């Protein structure tokens, strides 16, 4: 038996001056960062790498269009993933500090 749960779409966000430009920068920066990471790998990626780079380009264009044309529906990726990255970094630094303090005594 197949059960499908439909989630409600997220509510529209409040639009403020300058949001469209920041959304555009956010929309292009993440796929560009993935593309730079792919290009920086020292392993030959072959066709899979070329497809991934093409996906980065398509994702960048689609996200940019949504950020500019449907700004009230665009949610910032930096805020969504950046806060979790900061939590993980703080946890790592606290572990590093704890190990350094334990070895210092």
């Amino acid at each position: 038996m197949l059960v499908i749960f439909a989630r409600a779409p997220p509510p529209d966000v409040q639009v403020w001056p300058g949001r469209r430009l920041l959304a555009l920068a956010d929309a292009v920066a993440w796929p560009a960062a993935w593309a730079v990471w792919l290009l920086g790998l020292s392993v030959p990626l072959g066709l899979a790498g070329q497809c991934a780079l093409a996906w980065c380009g398509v994702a960048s264009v689609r996200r940019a269009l949504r950020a500019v044309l449907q700004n009230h529906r665009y949610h910032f990726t930096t805020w969504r993933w950046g806060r979790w990255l900061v939590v993980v970094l703080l946890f790592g630094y606290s572990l590093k500090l704890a190990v350094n303090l334990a070895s210092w005594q």
Side-chain angles (χ1 to χ4, degrees):
M1 182 165 109
L2 178 65
V3 180
I4 298 176
F5 294 101
R7 295 188 324 176
D12 291 348
V13 295
Q14 187 178 19
V15 178
W16 34 270
R19 187 180 193 284
R20 192 175 308 269
L21 183 62
L22 283 176
L24 178 63
D26 181 73
V28 173
W30 283 91
W34 280 104
V36 166
W37 178 74
L38 282 170
L39 291 172
L41 291 176
S42 60
V43 191
L45 298 175
L47 184 60
Q50 292 174 358
C51 289
L53 282 175
W55 177 85
C56 288
V58 170
S60 179
V61 170
R62 289 189 68 207
R63 288 168 50 91
L65 285 175
R66 184 171 191 161
V68 172
L69 299 178
Q70 296 178 342
N71 192 262
H72 59 284
R73 297 251 184 223
Y74 184 79
H75 295 276
F76 285 95
T77 305
T78 302
W79 176 248
R80 181 178 182 187
W81 293 103
R83 59 184 162 183
W84 293 110
L85 290 174
V86 167
V87 167
V88 169
L89 283 173
L90 288 176
F91 182 71
Y93 283 133
S94 65
L95 285 177
K96 192 177 211 178
L97 181 65
V99 167
N100 285 340
L101 288 177
S103 66
W104 199 49
Q105 292 178 357

